[in-house]
Amino acid sequence: MVLTYKQGYLPQPFHIKHITTKFSSLPLRFSLKLQGQPKLRVVKMSATEVTNSTISYESFAIKPPLHPTYDLKGIIKLALAEDAGDRGDITCLATIPFDMEAEAYFLAKEDGIVAGIALAEMIFNEVDPSLKVEWSKKDGDLVHKGIQFGKVYGRAHNIVVAERVVLNFMQRMSGIATLTKAMAKAASPAYILETRKTAPCLRLLDKWAVIIGGGRNHRMGLFDMVMIKDNHISTAGGVTNALKAVDLYLEKNSLQLEVEVETRTLEEVEEVLHYASQTKTSLTRIMLDNMVVPLPNGDVDISMLKEAVQLVNGRFETEASGNVTIDTVHQIGQSGVTYISSGSLTHSVKALDISLKIDTELALKVGRRTGRA
């Protein structure tokens, strides 16, 4: 399949599996046709190829986590193509002369941790490499409501075309970073982790935002860590059987990976410890799942969690999971666990309110009227 655009946001050709998209100049037309295998580079979301080697992260204030197959540039192009559709920005075409230049400012509409600045530069560059971007803040910095923290200068048409895609990414990443910062501070001395409960196709960006917010990354996917969860245990016929199977598999395939096992009761914790005392194992971490018990008054009972940590007694890393919120994470962090994982960092994030405005004076006036600046 080949999608050909005769005008749009002007990126280089890109490919997602068997989709090839090209953008060039006016006028815009859309066509769809079938053909054989594309000759140019193919972006594959498989676990076998590295497709992100063309991007250098050396200049980034905080680098994204590593993933063997994730194509960040491809995600940017998909987001822009999704917005451009088969006609491009018809409102810009109608209202903004193509060669008109303008300056637009990033405006924070609430306090929070800004994230996605490096990504925003990549997006602007994809739309129009001649756009100039300047920042007074960097990824991970605190921004306050009402401040301008960056600006972009160049063709007004292309600034507006890039605007929503830039803001969609930045607002989501900044929301994740802001919550992560608060939870990481409250969880200390334990470390806060996210989970795989991320938006489809945005996992690297969601996990990047967690790092920017001061958290740590859990496994990236199914490929980089063995994580024996309840369904694996049930299918294998118990914790011990599952651990044995993993140890045999890793040895047979000469693999060295971190191994975590989920436990739901103190009896399961004792079973894991007994197995590890009798056998050479690759086990590195024990998850203590739902051992934080919510109480009717909104508090939590962590006595079971503390008992489990004492049973482990430092022989393995420990991870608390379940009933973790901004209100409970501090108490959980005092239990002695190594890590606390929370899906809420990414699966139900509240975006940080950020705008990009050419007329900032009017934007601030409206913002003050509505309490958003």
Side-chain angles (χ1 to χ4, degrees):
M1 295 170 61
V2 176
L3 306 178
T4 303
Y5 288 75
K6 296 303 180 185
Q7 179 240 322
Y9 62 86
L10 306 175
Q12 298 300 310
F14 73 98
H15 318 278
I16 302 297
K17 289 191 176 176
H18 301 314
I19 300 177
T20 302
T21 307
K22 298 179 180 178
F23 292 77
S24 55
S25 56
L26 288 167
L28 179 132
R29 292 180 306 198
F30 174 79
S31 64
L32 175 66
K33 64 180 181 178
L34 298 176
Q35 69 173 29
Q37 292 286 341
K39 295 179 181 179
L40 296 177
R41 183 171 64 89
V42 177
V43 174
K44 294 181 179 179
M45 287 297 180
S46 69
T48 58
E49 294 186 22
V50 178
T51 60
N52 210 23
S53 58
T54 58
I55 298 175
S56 173
Y57 300 133
E58 292 306 313
S59 63
F60 292 4
I62 300 176
K63 297 175 179 60
L66 298 176
H67 191 292
T69 61
Y70 196 92
D71 187 352
L72 181 52
K73 199 168 185 180
I75 292 298
I76 291 171
K77 289 173 176 176
L78 275 178
L80 290 166
E82 176 184 59
D83 224 15
D86 63 346
R87 288 196 172 94
D89 189 339
I90 55 175
T91 312
C92 275
L93 292 171
T95 61
I96 301 176
F98 193 73
D99 58 353
M100 177 180 286
E101 294 195 337
E103 196 169 67
Y105 290 83
F106 284 92
L107 179 67
K109 293 188 173 181
E110 57 184 320
D111 294 352
I113 303 300
V114 67
I117 283 176
L119 181 66
E121 290 192 15
M122 293 176 65
I123 296 168
F124 282 124
N125 185 69
E126 189 64 40
V127 172
D128 181 355
S130 71
L131 293 175
K132 307 298 184 209
V133 190
E134 296 178 11
W135 306 97
S136 59
K137 297 290 184 179
K138 63 182 183 299
D139 280 325
D141 283 351
L142 175 66
V143 293
H144 292 288
K145 179 178 178 180
I147 75 155
Q148 296 173 10
F149 62 90
K151 66 179 180 179
V152 55
Y153 176 83
R155 286 184 175 178
H157 178 280
N158 291 335
I159 292 172
V160 177
V161 164
E163 173 196 357
R164 179 43 52 196
V165 172
V166 167
L167 290 177
N168 283 349
F169 281 128
M170 285 191 72
Q171 288 180 305
R172 177 178 176 83
M173 290 181 69
S174 297
I176 292 171
T178 300
L179 179 57
T180 300
K181 178 67 76 175
M183 292 190 73
K185 182 179 179 180
S188 181
Y191 299 108
I192 197 75
L193 307 170
E194 85 295 83
T195 68
R196 283 169 52 240
K197 296 175 183 177
T198 54
C201 297
L202 298 185
R203 178 165 299 170
L204 186 137
L205 300 179
D206 284 0
K207 286 178 174 283
W208 190 5
V210 168
I211 298 174
I212 291 170
R216 295 196 179 188
N217 287 151
H218 211 305
R219 59 176 178 161
M220 179 60 70
L222 301 174
F223 59 90
D224 58 334
M225 180 183 190
V226 177
M227 191 164 178
I228 309 168
K229 292 182 66 66
D230 52 358
N231 285 333
H232 304 110
I233 292 167
S234 298
T235 305
V239 172
T240 299
N241 286 346
L243 282 167
K244 283 181 180 177
V246 166
D247 283 333
L248 287 170
Y249 178 85
L250 293 179
E251 182 179 6
K252 180 180 178 181
N253 292 277
S254 301
L255 294 173
Q256 290 185 330
L257 293 171
E258 290 187 340
V259 176
E260 179 171 9
V261 63
E262 177 182 306
T263 60
R264 298 156 288 183
T265 65
L266 295 177
E267 290 74 24
E268 284 188 334
V269 174
E270 290 174 335
E271 184 179 348
V272 169
L273 295 173
H274 176 74
Y275 171 81
S277 69
Q278 302 295 313
T279 311
K280 181 181 178 182
T281 178
S282 297
L283 182 67
T284 54
R285 188 185 305 174
I286 300 175
M287 176 185 285
L288 309 171
D289 191 46
N290 285 312
M291 295 188 187
V292 176
V293 181
L295 299 174
N297 65 358
D299 202 355
V300 288
D301 178 0
I302 63 167
S303 58
M304 182 180 179
L305 177 64
K306 291 176 71 174
E307 187 174 350
V309 171
Q310 290 167 2
L311 282 173
V312 177
N313 194 28
R315 282 173 280 183
F316 299 97
E317 296 175 340
T318 52
E319 177 186 332
S321 178
N323 296 308
V324 178
T325 68
I326 188 63
D327 297 318
T328 64
V329 71
H330 176 71
Q331 193 172 346
I332 297 169
Q334 306 312 301
S335 66
V337 293
T338 318
Y339 300 104
I340 303 171
S341 58
S342 175
S344 65
L345 290 177
T346 55
H347 71 52
S348 52
V349 60
K350 177 186 177 293
L352 191 72
D353 198 356
I354 299 170
S355 63
L356 179 63
K357 297 296 183 184
I358 292 174
D359 188 343
T360 53
E361 184 177 342
L362 179 58
L364 284 168
K365 182 178 178 181
V366 173
R368 286 189 287 268
R369 186 179 71 216
T370 59
R372 295 173 66 206

